[in-house]
């Protein structure tokens, strides 16, 4: 998903950004973003079981009244 946002941004404003500031700044921003997203994997690795349990008990589609009419699969 992040890749889609990055390429959308590249097509709309990154060319002007690189032209004004050079390629070094944009690489620092993309590198920092990649490192930040990679660091988010650490808490997910540690607390993944709790996160999956919480999301199972708090169905976002039901809370937002977006539940479909199809059969619901129960996770065991």
């Amino acid at each position: 998903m992040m890749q889609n946002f990055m390429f959308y941004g590249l097509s709309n404003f990154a060319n002007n950004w690189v032209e004004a500031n050079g390629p070094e700044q944009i690489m620092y921003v993309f590198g920092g973003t990649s490192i930040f997203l990679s660091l988010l994997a650490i808490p997910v690795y540690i607390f993944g079981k709790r996160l999956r349990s919480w999301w199972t008990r708090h169905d976002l589609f039901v809370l937002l009244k977006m539940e479909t009419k199809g059969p619901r699969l129960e996770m065991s």
Side-chain angles (χ1 to χ4, degrees):
M1 185 170 92
M2 186 63 188
Q3 187 179 26
N4 292 336
F5 285 118
M6 287 176 63
F7 286 126
Y8 176 78
L10 283 172
S11 67
N12 278 319
F13 68 87
N15 291 333
N16 296 332
W17 185 16
V18 171
E19 182 182 353
N21 298 320
E24 184 178 13
Q25 185 183 28
I26 197 168
M27 289 300 146
Y28 284 139
V29 170
F30 285 162
T33 304
S34 297
I35 290 171
F36 173 73
L37 292 174
S38 296
L39 288 174
L40 286 177
I42 296 170
V44 170
Y45 179 77
I46 295 169
F47 300 109
K49 190 172 184 178
R50 290 184 198 165
L51 288 169
R52 288 190 305 272
S53 174
W54 189 88
W55 281 111
T56 300
R57 288 181 279 117
H58 299 88
D59 192 353
L60 190 60
F61 288 111
V62 172
L63 292 173
L64 296 175
K65 297 178 179 31
M66 295 170 44
E67 191 172 14
T68 62
K69 302 289 183 196
R72 183 178 173 124
L73 298 175
E74 294 295 327
M75 303 297 285
S76 53

